[in-house]
C-alpha cells in the first residue's frame, strides 16, 4: 500500500474511531402501566402525634379513638401502620380498587382502596391579607454530633438567631435526606386506609405472602410476594441512661435493620436569661441535625451514608452522647431503617437495545422508630412501647404531662426553624 493510501486510511480512521467507541444508546424505558406504593411504619414510646410530614403538628385526623387514617406512617403515633396507594395509566378516574392480602395480615381476604372525591375549589378573595412582618426570634442554637462522651474539637456549632445570615444558616442547618415523596390519595388514586375502612393493623399481623391489586384499568396479573425481610418491623426496644460522663443510648439488635441512627434535641433552662437555647445532637460522624434522617431512606443512600459514618451499621447496639449535648429534658429518637423493596414486571432487560415496558411496579418502604421521652426510665419506655412492665410503671404520675410538655417543645422548635427559613429566604 502506497504512503498516500496509508495516510488516507489513517485520517479516515480518526473519524471512524470516535463513532466506534461512542457509548451505546440509552435503553428506552416506558413508565409502568400500574403502580403501587406501600409504606410500613412502627412507632414506639413517646405519645400519640397527628399525621403530618416528619411528625409536624397538624389536625388530629384518625389519631383519636384508636382509629386509623392515611398518613399515620409519618405520625410518630405509637403502633404499627400501613399506607397504600394505587394508580394506573389506563384509568385516570379510578375510584375503587382491591388489594388481596395473605391470611397472616388478619384483615383479608382483601383491603378495599378508595379514592377521595374532588371537592369544590374555593376562589381566592381579592382582599387576601398580607403576611405579617417577620421578626427574627431571639436565642441561640447548638449542634453536637458523633458518638462519644467527650465533646469533640470544633464542637458545638453555635448560631445566634438574631444575628444569623444565609451563609450561617446553610452551615448550621445540615439535614441529609433522600426521602422521596410518594403519591398519596387523590382523585384517580385510591388508597388505604380511607373513610370507609379505618381499621388498624391487628396485633401480630404479618404481610409475608402473596399480594395482588385489581381494579378497572389495573393490569391483569399484578401479583407479587413479600418476604420476611420486608415485613412489618418490630418495635425498637431502646433506652437512655447515664454512662460515666455521657448519656448512653442502647437498643436491642433487630434482624431487619439495615442501619441505625440516633437524634436528640431539647431546650436549655434559660429562665434567668430569658432567651431560648435549643440543643441538637445526632449520632452522625459528620455535622447533621438529624431532622431529615429520621424517616424512610432509599437503599443506595443508606449504603452511602454508612460508608461516610453518618449512619450506624446494622450491627450497632449503642451510642454514647456528651452530657452537654443531651440533657435530662431532651427528647430523642432511635430509628432502625428497613430495606426498601422495589419490584416490577416484566424485569428490566439486560440488553440495552431492548426497550423496557413494565406492566406494573411496586415500592415498599419500612422503618421502626422509638421516641425516648424525658423523665422516663427504661421500664417506663418499654411499657409505652408495648413491652413488659409493671402496671404502676405504666401509670406513673406526671408522665403524660412531661410527654406533652416535650411535644410542645418540638413544635416550638419546628416553628422556629420554619420562621428562620421564611425570614432568610422569604418562604
Amino acid at each position: 500500500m502506497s504512503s498516500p493510501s496509508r495516510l488516507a486510511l489513517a485520517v479516515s480512521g480518526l473519524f471512524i474511531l470516535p463513532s466506534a467507541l461512542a457509548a451505546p444508546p440509552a435503553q428506552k424505558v416506558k413508565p409502568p402501566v400500574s403502580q403501587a406504593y406501600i409504606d410500613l411504619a412502627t412507632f414506639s414510646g413517646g405519645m400519640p402525634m397527628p399525621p403530618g410530614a416528619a411528625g409536624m403538628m397538624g389536625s388530629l385526623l384518625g389519631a383519636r379513638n384508636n382509629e386509623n387514617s392515611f398518613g399515620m406512617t409519618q405520625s410518630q403515633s405509637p403502633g404499627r401502620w400501613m399506607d397504600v396507594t394505587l394508580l394506573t395509566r389506563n384509568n385516570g378516574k379510578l375510584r375503587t380498587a382491591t388489594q388481596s392480602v395473605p391470611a397472616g395480615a388478619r384483615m383479608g381476604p382483601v383491603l378495599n382502596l378508595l379514592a377521595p372525591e374532588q371537592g369544590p375549589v374555593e376562589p381566592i378573595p381579592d382582599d387576601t391579607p398580607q403576611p405579617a412582618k417577620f421578626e427574627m426570634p431571639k436565642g441561640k442554637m447548638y449542634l453536637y454530633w458523633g458518638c462519644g462522651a467527650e465533646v469533640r474539637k470544633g464542637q458545638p456549632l453555635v448560631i445566634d438567631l438574631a444575628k444569623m445570615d444565609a451563609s450561617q444558616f446553610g452551615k448550621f442547618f445540615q439535614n441529609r435526606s433522600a426521602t422521596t415523596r410518594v403519591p398519596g390519595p387523590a382523585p384517580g388514586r385510591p388508597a388505604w386506609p380511607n373513610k370507609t375502612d379505618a381499621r388498624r393493623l391487628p396485633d401480630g399481623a404479618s404481610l409475608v405472602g402473596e399480594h395482588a391489586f385489581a381494579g378497572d384499568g389495573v393490569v391483569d396479573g399484578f401479583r407479587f410476594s413479600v418476604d420476611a425481610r420486608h415485613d412489618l418491623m418490630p418495635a425498637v426496644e431502646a433506652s437512655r441512661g447515664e454512662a460515666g460522663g455521657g448519656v448512653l443510648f442502647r437498643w436491642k439488635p433487630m434482624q431487619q435493620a439495615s442501619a441505625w441512627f440516633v437524634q436528640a434535641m431539647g431546650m436549655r433552662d434559660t429562665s434567668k436569661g430569658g432567651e431560648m437555647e435549643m440543643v441538637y445532637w445526632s449520632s452522625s460522624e459528620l455535622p447533621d441535625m438529624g431532622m431529615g434522617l429520621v424517616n424512610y431512606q432509599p437503599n443506595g443512600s443508606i449504603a452511602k451514608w454508612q460508608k461516610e459514618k453518618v449512619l450506624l451499621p446494622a450491627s450497632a447496639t449503642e451510642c454514647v452522647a456528651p452530657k452537654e449535648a443531651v440533657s435530662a429534658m431532651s427528647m430523642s429518637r432511635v430509628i432502625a431503617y428497613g430495606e426498601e423493596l422495589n419490584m416490577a414486571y416484566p424485569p428490566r432487560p439486560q440488553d440495552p437495545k431492548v426497550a423496557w415496558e413494565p406492566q406494573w411496579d411496586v415500592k415498599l418502604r419500612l422503618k421502626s422508630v422509638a421516641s425516648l421521652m424525658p423523665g422516663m426510665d427504661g421500664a417506663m419506655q418499654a411499657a409505652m412501647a408495648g413491652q413488659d412492665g409493671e402496671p404502676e410503671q405504666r401509670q406513673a404520675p406526671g408522665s403524660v404531662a412531661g410527654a406533652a410538655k416535650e411535644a410542645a417543645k418540638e413544635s416550638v422548635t419546628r416553628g422556629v426553624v420554619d420562621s428562620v427559613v421564611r425570614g432568610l429566604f422569604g418562604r
Side-chain angles (χ1 to χ4, degrees), residues 21-207:
L21 297 180
Q27 185 177 39
K28 293 183 179 180
V29 178
K30 289 189 176 182
V33 179
S34 301
Q35 293 176 276
Y37 299 86
I38 303 174
D39 278 354
L40 307 177
T42 303
F43 297 116
S44 55
M47 63 178 293
M49 296 283 283
M56 293 182 66
M57 300 297 290
S59 61
L60 193 55
L61 295 180
R64 287 192 292 244
N65 300 326
N66 204 38
E67 291 182 352
N68 190 9
S69 64
F70 192 95
M72 293 301 289
T73 57
Q74 295 290 335
S75 70
Q76 305 293 327
S77 188
R80 299 202 299 173
W81 310 96
M82 177 171 70
D83 290 333
V84 181
T85 309
L86 178 68
L87 62 90
T88 181
R89 288 171 175 79
N90 286 340
N91 184 3
K93 297 182 179 180
L94 183 63
R95 172 68 174 160
T96 62
T98 60
Q99 177 186 356
S100 299
V101 293
R106 303 182 182 179
M107 301 185 75
V110 298
L111 300 179
N112 293 304
L113 281 62
L114 179 67
E117 297 180 358
Q118 180 69 56
V121 179
E122 297 182 0
I124 300 176
D126 296 335
D127 57 346
T128 302
Q130 296 298 314
K133 184 179 179 180
F134 173 80
E135 291 186 9
M136 185 66 71
K138 294 181 179 180
K140 293 182 179 180
M141 304 180 81
Y142 301 81
L143 176 61
Y144 299 81
W145 61 93
C147 296
E150 300 295 327
V151 176
R152 302 184 185 187
K153 185 179 180 179
Q155 296 190 32
L157 289 179
V158 184
I159 198 163
D160 189 328
L161 296 177
K163 302 176 182 179
M164 182 176 57
D165 58 27
S167 61
Q168 290 177 307
F169 179 94
K171 183 178 180 181
F172 188 92
F173 291 94
Q174 299 183 67
N175 285 286
R176 291 169 178 80
S177 179
T179 305
T180 56
R181 185 174 182 179
V182 300
R189 292 204 303 257
W192 186 94
N194 49 64
K195 65 180 183 180
T196 62
D197 187 354
R199 292 175 295 166
R200 290 190 59 167
L201 293 172
D203 292 339
S206 170
L207 300 180

Side-chain angles (χ1 to χ4, degrees), residues 223-397:
R223 294 180 177 275
F224 60 95
S225 293
V226 174
D227 59 8
R229 181 161 181 78
H230 300 96
D231 196 8
L232 288 152
M233 298 178 74
V236 171
E237 296 184 53
S239 64
R240 178 180 71 191
E242 295 183 3
V247 178
L248 174 62
F249 292 92
R250 181 176 289 166
W251 54 90
K252 289 187 177 181
M254 185 183 298
Q255 188 172 2
Q256 286 175 268
S258 57
W260 296 85
F261 181 74
V262 189
Q263 183 257 355
M265 64 180 182
M267 281 186 178
R268 283 180 178 166
D269 184 5
T270 57
S271 55
K272 296 181 180 179
E275 292 187 351
M276 177 194 72
E277 286 195 351
M278 293 297 305
V279 183
Y280 294 85
W281 169 83
S282 76
S283 58
S284 170
E285 286 293 304
L286 300 178
D288 197 299
M289 296 177 73
M291 306 299 287
L293 286 171
V294 188
N295 206 344
Y296 303 107
Q297 305 298 338
N299 299 334
S301 297
I302 290 176
K304 174 178 180 292
W305 289 330
Q306 278 186 304
K307 291 180 181 179
E308 297 173 350
K309 297 185 177 181
V310 171
L311 304 182
L312 299 171
S315 59
T317 57
E318 63 180 42
C319 177
V320 178
K323 63 181 180 180
E324 295 88 345
V326 182
S327 69
M329 291 307 296
S330 293
M331 185 179 72
S332 46
R333 290 179 290 184
V334 181
I335 180 171
Y337 300 97
E339 181 183 75
E340 183 175 289
L341 176 64
N342 294 282
M343 291 181 287
Y345 181 84
R348 187 167 190 161
Q350 296 295 322
D351 187 350
K353 296 179 181 179
V354 179
W356 187 28
E357 302 180 8
Q359 290 298 294
W360 59 259
D361 80 358
V362 60
K363 178 186 288 291
L364 183 150
R365 307 186 297 182
L366 57 161
K367 62 184 177 183
S368 184
V369 184
S371 295
L372 307 181
M373 307 303 290
M376 296 183 181
D377 59 17
M380 171 58 72
Q381 291 162 5
M384 294 192 70
Q387 310 300 326
D388 292 336
E390 296 300 324
E392 57 268 24
Q393 292 174 328
R394 297 190 185 98
Q395 300 174 11

